[in-house]
Amino acid sequence: FTAVVAIKWLTDGEEEQPLQAVLVADSFNRRFFPISKDQPRALLPLANVAMIDYTLEFLTSTGVQETFVFCCWMSNKIKEHLLKSKWCRPTSPNVVRIITSDLYRSLGDVLRDVDAKALVRSDFILVYGDVVSNIDVTQALQEHRQRRKAEKNISVMTMIFKQSSPGHKSRCEEDDIIVAMDSKTKRVLHYQRTQGLKKLQFPMNIFHSVSDEFEIRYDLLDCHISICSPQVAELFTDNFDYQTRNDFVRGILVNEEILGNQIHLYVTMDGYGARVSNLLMYDAVSSDMVRRWIYPLTPEANFTDRKGQECTHSRHNVYRGAGVSLGHGSHMAENVLIGRDTSIGANCHISNSVIGSNCTIGDNVVLDRAYVWNGVHIASGAVIRQSVLCDGVKVKERVTLNRQCVLAYNVVVGPDISLPEGTVVSMHHPDEEDEEDEDEFLSDGADNSSNQAKTKLKAFSAAEVGAEGKGYIWRPVKQDDTEDDELVQCLWGETSSCITTGVYAVFQTEVLGTLQRGMEENISCDNLVLEINSLKYAYNITLKEVMQVLMRVVLEFPFQQQGPQLAAVQYCALLLRLLKKWAPVFRNYVKRAPDQMDCLESLEEFFLEHETHWGAMVKVLMELYQLDILEEELIMRWFSDGVTSAKSRQLRKNPGLLKFIQWLEEAEDESSEEDGQ
Amino acid sequence: MPGTDRETDLSERTEAFLAELKRSGGGAGPLRGSGETARETVALLRKITAQARWSNAGELMEIVRKEGRRMTAAQPSETTVGNMVRRVLKIIREEYARSRGSSEEADQQESLHKLLTSGGLSEDNFRQHFAPLKGNVIEAVNELLTELDGTTENIAMQALEHIHSNEVIMTIGRSRTVEAFLKAACKRKFHVIVAECAPFCQGHEMATSLSEANIETTVIPDAAIFAVMSRVNKVIIGTQTVLANGGLRAVNGTHTLALAAKHHSTPLIVCAPMFKLSPQFPNEEDTFHKFVSPQEVLPFTEGEILSEVNVHCPVFDYVPPELITLFISNIGGNAPSYIYRLMSELYHPEDHEL
C-alpha cells in the first residue's frame, strides 16, 4: 500500500504539467502546387475530412491537452477552419492555440519561435499538420520520460516509427531511411535517408560504443511524430542553420560527443501513422483509411462531429453519406466513400474512390482510384483513373483522365478529350509563379518557356483542355518533356529532383560558389583553402569527399561558365588555366597516395559521364602530373588497376591516354636508369 | 453564475464520455466491459437529471433522449448505452405516473383495445410539474445502479445449478460474465475447453485466468470446434448484445460454435446480464456489423501484398435464436422465446426508437 502511495505521489509531483503539442500546419515546400495555391495543405480533404482534423484528433486521443498550431501559408483559412471546428469549442479537452506568422520559412523557424516565446514547459509532441495517425504515444512518452529521469536529460528526442517492410505502398520513398540503433537502449546511432543512394556508409565509431547489440533497420516508416524535450527548441535556437528535423537529427548525432545529447526511437507495431507528403502518399493513406487500417479513425466515425458528415458503412467498405442517390445499374465495387447529397447516374462503375459532397456524376462513368472533392460535376461517359479532382471541377462528356492527372480548383475540361498521364491543370497560369519568387520548382527551364507562353497568356488552349475547357496545363509537354515529368512526379512523389538530395549536394554547390567568387574577386588560394575547410566542418564532410567534390567542381567549372555545349578544345584550354591557378588548393588536399587515387577516380568518373571530352582528359592528367599534384607511379597504378566497368576499360583504350601512359613509362624508365647509375 | 458553471461541467463530462466511447474498442471491442459502459452511462444520466434545467418529466425525457441519441451515435455497436438510456426513460415514465397517482406499469399494453385507442400516448401527459419528481427519479436511477453492480454476481450464483461434476464445458473468447460463472463453480471438478477466438485470441487470456482458479482448461483453435464438440456436455458463452428476437450479436466465431452445438445436440447456454437486452432486430441497420483494422489478420508489415488484397476483420457474428437453449441473466434463466416479454417489462415501447 505504501508503495502505491509513493508512486502516486511521485507521479503527481512530476506530471502536473499538461501534455503539450506543437503542430506545424505548413509543409514549407510546394509539393502540392498548384493545388495548395488555393488551399493550404493542412486543409485538403482526405476521405472528406481536412487533414489537420486527423492530426488534432490523434493528438487529442493520445492525451494532449494543449496544442499550438503554427500556420504560415494561408494562415487565415486555417484559423477560420479551426475556429469553426470542434477543437475550439469550450468543452474541448485539447486547448488549441493558433499562432500565425508570415516569417516562418521552415520547421526550424517555428521551433525557434517556440523557444523565444517560451511556450513549452515540458516534453511536447511535434507533428506536422498532415499526419494521419492512431498511434497511442503514451507508451513512448513513458519511455521517454523514464530515460530522461534516469540519465539526466541526455535524451532530447524520441522519434516514432512504424514497422513496415520495404515495398509497402504507404512507405514514402522520399522518407526511406536507414537507422542504426542500439537494441537495448533504442538509441539512434546513425540516421540516413536512403533515397537515391546506392551505397551506404556507416561510421565505424558507432560500433565501438558501449553496447554489444546493434540493429540496422530498413523496415521503418517515419510517422513524423516526435516527442521532444524543451531542449529541442533551445537547440534549434543555438544552431540557427537547422532548418528541418533531418538537420537536427544529423546535427545531434554528429555532435553527440560534444553536447552529450542523444536521440531515441520508438517502433510501434500496431498503430498507424503516416504523413501525406505527396499525392502518392495521399492516394495510399486515403485507401488505408477507407480500408479501415486507421480504425477507430474511419469515415463513418464522424470524429469531427460535424453536421452532414455522417455516413454508413456497408459490405466491401462502401460508405454512403446522407442523401446519396445511385442510378440504375451503377455499381460500387469496393472501397468507395461517397459524401453527402452526391448523385450518381446510371451504369457507373466506381471502385477504390473517394467522392466528396454535392457532386454530380453522369451516366456510364468509370472511376477507379479517383479522388473527387466537393461540388465536382462529371458528365456522362467520363473515365477517370488515379486522379485528383479538386473542388468545383467540371469534367465534360466523354473525357478520359489517365493516371496521375490533377485538376486543381474550378478547372473545366472537355468535352471529348483525353488527358495524357500526369497532366496537371490549374486555373493559375504557371508563369504567375515566376513573378512571385523563384524556387526550385521552376528552375532554369521555365525561363525559356515563359516568353513563349506569355504571348498566349489568359487564353485557354482548346487542344489542351478541350473546346469548353478552362485552365492552364502546368508545364506543357511540347515545350519541355523532361521538365514536365519532373513536375508531375514531384506532385506524385516519385523522384527527388526538386528536393535537395542531401548535404553532399549542398556542399558541392557551396564549393562551386566559393570557387566562382574566388575567380571573380581574385581571392588567393590560401583563403580559398580556408573557406573550403570551414565548409567542410559546417557540412561535416570527410576529407575524401572534399577531394572528390573539389575535383568534380573544378572539372565542371568551364561548363558552368560557358554552358554545356562547350567544345572539347575550348574546354581544355579553360580548364588548364584553372588548374594552374588553383594548383596550391589541390596540393593542399592531395598529399598522400590514397588521396591521389581518389582524385584519379573522381576524374575518371567525371570523364565517363562526358565521353566527348576524353581528349581533354589526357591534357588534364599531364597538367596535374607536371604541377606535381599526381605522381607517375599512382597514375600507372590507376591505369592498370582501376578498371571498374566496360566503359572504363574503353576509356583506357583511348589513344591519347595510351600515348601519355607510354610516355610516362619511358620517363620512369629513364629516371630509374638515372637512379641506377 | 453557478448555473452556467454546472452546465459547462455537465457538457464537458458528456463530451469526454462521448469521446471515450468513440475511441473505445480499438481492436477487441467488447473487452472494454459492457458492464462498465452501462454503469458510466447511468451515472452520467443521473448527473444530467440532477443538473440539467427541466421543470417537468416531458422536458427531462427530451433532454435524456437527445443525449441518448448522441451517445448511441458515437459508438453504434455498443448497444448497452442505448439500453441504459431506455431504462432511465422508463424510470422517468414510471415515477411520473406514480406522482400522478396512476400506475403506468399496470395499464401498459394490457389489451389490444387499449393499444388501439390510446394512440400515441402523447407527451402532453408529462407536462405536469411535480416537485419531488427529481428526487424520486434519482433514487430510482440509484437503484438501477445497484442492480447493475450486482449483475455478474447474480449470474455467477446460478452456476452450480448448471455445472455438474466431471462435465466438459466449451466456451469461446473471453467474457467476464462467463469467467465469473465458471469460477463460481470451481469447487466442482470440471473441464473447460476454450476456443481461442482468432484473430484477437481473447481465448488465451480466458484460459490463463481460468487455470489460475484451478479449473482444468484446454485451448483449441477455432477450426477444431466441430471436432471437439462431440465430447462436450454444455456450451456456455457470453454475448455482446441480446437482440429483440432472442438472437445474439456475439464475438466472431460464435455462430460456428452454435451450429456445431446444434449438430451434436449440445445445449447452448448464454450468460447475459439484462442490460445487454436490446430492442434492436438483426439486419435492421448498417451499424449491426463492426469492422476493425485488418492489422490482426494480415499485419501491416506484410508490405507489397497489402496493396493487392482487401482484408476484412469483422468483430461480431449473428446467432439466430433457434440455436440457443437458455439465457441466464441476473434475474434467472429464460428461453429465447421469452425475450419479447422481458423486453416489454424493461423498456417502454415508445422508447425503442430513441
Side-chain angles (χ1 to χ4, degrees):
Chain A
F1 175 71
T2 46
V4 172
V5 171
I7 289 165
K8 186 133 182 55
W9 180 79
L10 260 180
T11 48
D12 277 358
E14 303 241 330
E15 289 175 20
E16 274 299 295
Q17 302 281 11
L19 183 57
Q20 295 175 308
V22 170
L23 191 159
V24 185
D26 202 310
S27 50
F28 305 115
N29 64 34
R30 299 186 163 195
R31 303 299 302 278
F32 272 67
F33 260 44
I35 302 173
S36 58
K37 242 177 129 64
D38 295 294
Q39 189 87 325
R41 192 202 286 190
L43 295 190
L44 302 183
L46 186 135
N48 294 345
V49 174
M51 288 199 257
I52 196 167
D53 286 333
Y54 291 107
T55 318
L56 283 167
E57 171 67 17
F58 153 68
L59 291 174
T60 311
S61 63
T62 205
V64 172
Q65 286 167 296
E66 188 177 21
T67 306
F68 298 100
V69 180
F70 286 83
C71 334
C72 173
W73 174 249
M74 297 210 163
S75 50
N76 287 340
K77 282 198 172 183
I78 298 178
K79 206 167 175 176
E80 199 183 319
H81 174 88
L82 288 177
L83 290 176
K84 274 195 291 181
S85 72
K86 77 163 184 178
W87 315 111
C88 285
R89 286 184 203 159
T91 54
S92 167
N94 182 3
V95 181
V96 174
R97 301 189 200 286
I98 306 163
I99 296 166
T100 59
S101 166
D102 293 337
L103 299 175
Y104 301 140
R105 284 281 170 269
S106 68
L107 179 71
D109 292 343
V110 168
L111 284 170
R112 280 185 275 279
D113 202 36
V114 167
D115 187 42
K117 290 182 174 149
L119 294 174
V120 293
R121 293 180 293 276
S122 62
D123 296 336
F124 64 98
I125 297 176
L126 176 68
V127 283
Y128 279 102
D130 42 16
V131 168
V132 178
S133 169
N134 65 352
I135 296 172
D136 186 359
V137 298
T138 325
Q139 175 77 22
L141 195 66
Q142 226 161 27
E143 284 179 18
H144 179 80
R145 282 181 178 152
Q146 266 164 13
R147 267 195 294 268
R148 283 178 61 78
K149 212 181 279 175
E151 282 186 79
K152 290 273 174 266
N153 301 347
I154 277 179
S155 170
V156 291
M157 189 191 250
T158 302
M159 296 191 283
I160 296 180
F161 289 94
K162 171 161 182 55
Q163 193 178 340
S164 97
S165 41
H168 196 289
K169 70 183 161 51
S170 302
R171 259 176 88 115
C172 178
E173 273 178 41
E174 287 159 22
D175 273 346
D176 269 359
I177 45 150
I178 193 151
V179 173
M181 65 181 228
D182 188 323
S183 315
K184 279 184 195 139
T185 60
K186 304 272 181 262
R187 191 179 127 200
V188 180
L189 300 169
H190 185 71
Y191 176 94
Q192 193 171 15
R193 289 188 181 223
T194 57
Q195 192 195 21
L197 294 181
K198 293 196 184 72
K199 268 189 266 178
L200 292 167
Q201 285 187 336
F202 295 93
M204 270 312 282
N205 63 330
I206 64 170
F207 302 109
H208 292 317
S209 54
V210 271
S211 178
D212 47 359
E213 269 181 59
F214 299 97
E215 282 174 34
I216 292 177
R217 299 188 66 160
Y218 186 57
D219 64 340
L220 297 176
L221 177 122
D222 191 349
C223 300
H224 288 276
I225 300 166
S226 16
I227 301 170
C228 307
S229 59
Q231 277 154 285
V232 172
E234 290 162 24
L235 285 166
F236 266 95
T237 312
D238 295 346
N239 299 277
F240 52 85
D241 55 333
Y242 288 172
Q243 295 302 320
T244 61
R245 194 184 71 168
N246 209 21
D247 291 346
F248 174 78
V249 173
R250 288 194 61 121
I252 291 291
L253 292 181
V254 167
N255 299 326
E256 195 236 305
E257 292 90 12
I258 308 163
L259 297 166
N261 291 322
Q262 297 180 352
I263 292 180
H264 290 80
L265 58 77
Y266 175 80
V267 180
T268 171
M269 295 287 289
D270 38 344
Y272 182 94
R275 180 172 176 215
V276 182
S277 47
N278 54 44
L279 280 182
L280 272 189
M281 281 302 282
Y282 179 87
D283 181 22
V285 175
S286 296
S287 104
D288 285 341
M289 170 71 64
V290 170
R291 291 167 192 225
R292 307 182 75 79
W293 278 100
I294 321 175
Y295 185 89
L297 286 184
T298 51
E300 91 276 11
N302 187 24
F303 62 86
T304 53
D305 211 9
R306 253 190 213 173
K307 278 256 173 302
Q309 282 285 358
E310 304 90 358
C311 60
T312 59
H313 172 228
S314 36
R315 283 169 61 144
H316 306 297
N317 292 335
V318 173
Y319 304 83
R320 257 173 290 194
V324 168
S325 77
L326 192 64
H328 184 76
S330 279
H331 181 46
M332 294 193 281
E334 53 183 16
N335 306 321
V336 179
L337 167 60
I338 300 176
R340 171 175 44 97
D341 296 328
T342 287
S343 72
I344 295 168
N347 299 317
C348 296
H349 187 276
I350 303 173
S351 55
N352 304 310
S353 298
V354 175
I355 301 172
S357 52
N358 297 313
C359 295
T360 325
I361 294 172
D363 302 337
N364 304 312
V365 172
V366 177
L367 300 180
D368 182 49
R369 291 174 79 186
Y371 297 95
V372 178
W373 298 357
N374 302 326
V376 173
H377 292 265
I378 299 175
S380 302
V383 178
I384 298 174
R385 293 183 201 286
Q386 202 191 7
S387 296
V388 175
L389 279 69
C390 301
D391 289 0
V393 165
K394 286 192 175 61
V395 175
K396 301 273 180 190
E397 283 81 6
R398 295 168 298 280
V399 169
T400 304
L401 297 187
N402 287 310
R403 290 179 66 239
Q404 307 196 339
C405 283
V406 176
L407 303 186
Y409 289 88
N410 303 320
V411 161
V412 182
V413 288
D416 302 295
I417 191 171
S418 169
L419 295 186
E421 191 171 312
T423 314
V424 179
V425 186
S426 167
M427 290 305 279
H428 296 278
H429 198 279
D431 294 332
E432 284 173 28
E433 201 46 34
D434 292 348
E435 290 146 26
E436 281 172 24
D437 53 4
E438 82 287 358
D439 66 295
E440 67 267 61
F441 218 94
L442 293 163
S443 45
D444 47 352
D447 300 330
N448 317 334
S449 61
S450 66
N451 295 335
Q452 300 161 27
K454 255 176 198 152
T455 55
K456 55 162 193 173
L457 194 66
K458 305 296 174 207
F460 304 119
S461 156
E464 283 167 7
V465 293
E468 297 165 30
K470 286 180 189 160
Y472 304 101
I473 300 247
W474 273 51
R475 278 320 158 80
V477 180
K478 58 184 183 201
Q479 283 168 350
D480 206 329
D481 294 57
T482 52
E483 292 285 321
D484 180 58
D485 279 359
E486 192 178 297
L487 172 83
V488 172
Q489 285 170 341
C490 271
L491 205 53
W492 286 94
E494 274 165 2
T495 65
S496 64
S497 39
C498 65
I499 59 164
T500 47
T501 45
V503 183
Y504 193 77
V506 179
F507 178 70
Q508 186 164 340
T509 48
E510 288 274 359
V511 170
L512 178 66
T514 309
L515 290 184
Q516 264 167 349
R517 215 153 30 79
M519 189 76 173
E520 285 156 18
E521 298 169 18
N522 223 353
I523 296 170
S524 79
C525 285
D526 286 348
N527 287 344
L528 279 181
V529 168
L530 217 59
E531 285 203 28
I532 293 172
N533 273 345
S534 65
L535 284 174
K536 165 180 176 292
Y537 289 116
Y539 290 94
N540 185 35
I541 300 275
T542 62
L543 200 62
K544 184 177 170 186
E545 282 169 328
V546 174
M547 244 273 317
Q548 288 166 343
V549 167
L550 188 69
M551 195 72 216
R552 219 181 153 79
V553 166
V554 171
L555 290 172
E556 273 173 10
F557 205 82
F559 289 129
Q560 294 284 349
Q561 303 284 48
Q562 310 286 335
Q565 280 81 35
L566 202 62
V569 186
Q570 287 156 314
Y571 171 78
C572 198
L574 279 170
L575 189 63
L576 290 185
R577 212 178 315 140
L578 288 174
L579 285 175
K580 245 181 222 131
K581 189 171 163 60
W582 287 330
V585 181
F586 277 102
R587 271 189 218 113
N588 185 61
Y589 289 107
V590 187
K591 284 176 185 149
R592 295 163 304 132
D595 301 340
Q596 299 189 22
M597 280 310 274
D598 289 337
C599 185
L600 282 164
E601 269 167 27
S602 47
L603 190 83
E604 179 183 345
E605 201 179 315
F606 175 82
F607 279 103
L608 285 177
E609 287 165 25
H610 298 82
E611 257 175 273
T612 45
H613 294 71
W614 280 3
M617 183 175 174
V618 185
K619 299 249 170 67
V620 174
L621 280 175
M622 187 69 181
E623 190 67 30
L624 288 173
Y625 173 68
Q626 284 174 346
L627 289 168
D628 285 339
I629 295 167
L630 298 178
E631 289 167 21
E632 57 191 34
E633 193 187 330
L634 285 152
I635 297 178
M636 298 302 294
R637 203 201 291 173
W638 163 77
F639 183 78
S640 50
D641 300 346
V643 183
T644 49
S645 65
K647 207 168 169 196
S648 73
R649 194 167 295 128
Q650 207 183 334
L651 178 81
R652 282 173 177 69
K653 288 188 185 132
N654 182 297
L657 186 60
L658 285 173
K659 212 181 266 172
F660 172 64
I661 294 295
Q662 205 181 350
W663 178 80
L664 267 185
E665 271 171 354
E666 281 165 13
E668 196 178 13
D669 285 349
E670 270 171 36
S671 63
S672 61
E673 273 167 29
E674 277 166 27
D675 284 350
Q677 279 166 1
Chain B
M1 257 170 73
T4 48
D5 259 10
R6 270 201 330 206
E7 263 175 28
T8 48
D9 171 50
L10 187 63
S11 55
E12 236 166 65
R13 275 200 50 174
T14 319
E15 291 292 331
F17 182 63
L18 284 179
E20 204 183 313
L21 273 179
K22 268 185 193 177
R23 286 173 204 131
S24 72
L31 272 192
R32 185 170 161 268
S34 333
E36 212 174 297
T37 315
R39 275 195 294 278
E40 274 171 37
T41 316
V42 175
L44 185 67
L45 291 173
R46 184 178 58 180
K47 212 172 170 62
I48 290 173
T49 314
Q51 296 186 352
R53 286 164 189 234
W54 54 277
S55 59
N56 57 43
E59 279 175 34
L60 176 61
M61 281 162 72
E62 206 36 63
I63 295 170
V64 170
R65 210 170 274 157
K66 200 182 114 226
E67 293 300 324
R69 269 196 298 267
R70 281 180 64 198
M71 286 192 261
T72 42
Q75 186 58 270
S77 69
E78 192 65 85
T79 45
T80 327
V81 178
N83 298 342
M84 287 305 105
V85 174
R86 291 184 187 99
R87 287 288 287 273
V88 170
L89 284 173
K90 166 95 171 166
I91 286 173
I92 300 170
R93 280 170 198 276
E94 281 173 2
E95 290 305 321
Y96 180 80
R98 224 154 47 97
S99 312
R100 235 176 34 159
S102 67
S103 69
E104 165 103 2
E105 48 205 313
D107 59 6
Q108 177 213 117
Q109 281 193 0
E110 271 302 273
S111 67
L112 188 61
H113 175 253
K114 189 144 198 148
L115 273 179
L116 284 171
T117 50
S118 66
L121 199 108
S122 61
E123 308 247 318
D124 306 341
N125 301 1
F126 294 101
R127 292 291 165 216
Q128 231 169 309
H129 175 75
F130 292 109
L133 183 64
K134 192 186 222 175
N136 290 344
V137 169
I138 290 176
E139 202 175 306
V141 172
N142 279 337
E143 271 170 36
L144 174 61
L145 269 177
T146 333
E147 183 200 319
L148 288 178
D149 280 333
T151 45
T152 314
E153 290 94 85
N154 284 338
I155 294 174
M157 258 162 33
Q158 305 167 49
L160 290 175
E161 297 167 28
H162 297 279
I163 300 173
H164 308 291
S165 288
N166 298 319
E167 274 192 333
V168 178
I169 288 162
M170 187 185 273
T171 186
I172 185 165
R174 181 175 185 222
S175 151
R176 281 155 209 238
T177 321
V178 173
E179 199 179 314
F181 190 80
L182 293 173
K183 280 183 183 171
C186 69
K187 65 174 182 183
R188 296 215 172 117
K189 193 180 168 326
F190 60 98
H191 185 177
V192 178
I193 296 172
V194 185
E196 62 174 1
C197 206
F200 300 109
C201 296
Q202 305 104 315
H204 297 175
E205 288 168 45
M206 177 80 159
T208 322
S209 162
L210 288 178
S211 55
E212 273 165 14
N214 287 324
I215 297 171
E216 197 184 338
T217 314
T218 311
V219 179
I220 56 164
D222 299 332
I225 287 175
F226 189 85
V228 177
M229 188 56 82
S230 55
R231 294 173 46 200
V232 174
N233 298 102
K234 254 182 209 112
V235 178
I236 300 179
I237 55 169
T239 182
Q240 210 263 340
T241 307
V242 180
L243 300 163
N245 66 344
L248 300 181
R249 182 164 74 156
V251 68
N252 232 357
T254 314
H255 196 183
T256 322
L257 180 73
L259 283 170
K262 189 82 182 168
H263 182 87
H264 289 283
S265 299
T266 314
L268 181 95
I269 298 174
V270 181
C271 291
M274 285 319 288
F275 63 76
K276 288 192 173 176
L277 182 59
S278 158
Q280 194 187 9
F281 278 89
N283 305 325
E284 207 167 54
E285 43 193 327
D286 288 325
T287 53
F288 187 84
H289 289 289
K290 174 164 153 186
F291 287 85
V292 297
S293 164
Q295 166 77 27
E296 299 290 332
V297 183
L298 196 65
F300 194 76
T301 43
E302 284 298 322
E304 274 161 89
I305 187 140
L306 288 178
S307 23
E308 312 295 324
V309 294
N310 277 317
V311 193
H312 297 285
C313 184
V315 176
F316 298 123
D317 245 356
Y318 167 63
V319 183
E322 53 271 23
L323 301 179
I324 298 161
T325 319
L326 187 71
F327 281 103
I328 299 177
S329 72
N330 44 324
I331 55 167
N334 294 107
S337 54
Y338 192 67
I339 291 293
Y340 86 98
R341 185 65 214 173
L342 292 173
M343 188 78 66
S344 65
E345 273 171 25
L346 286 177
Y347 310 120
H348 193 276
E350 276 186 19
D351 296 333
H352 286 185
E353 280 296 307
L354 277 178

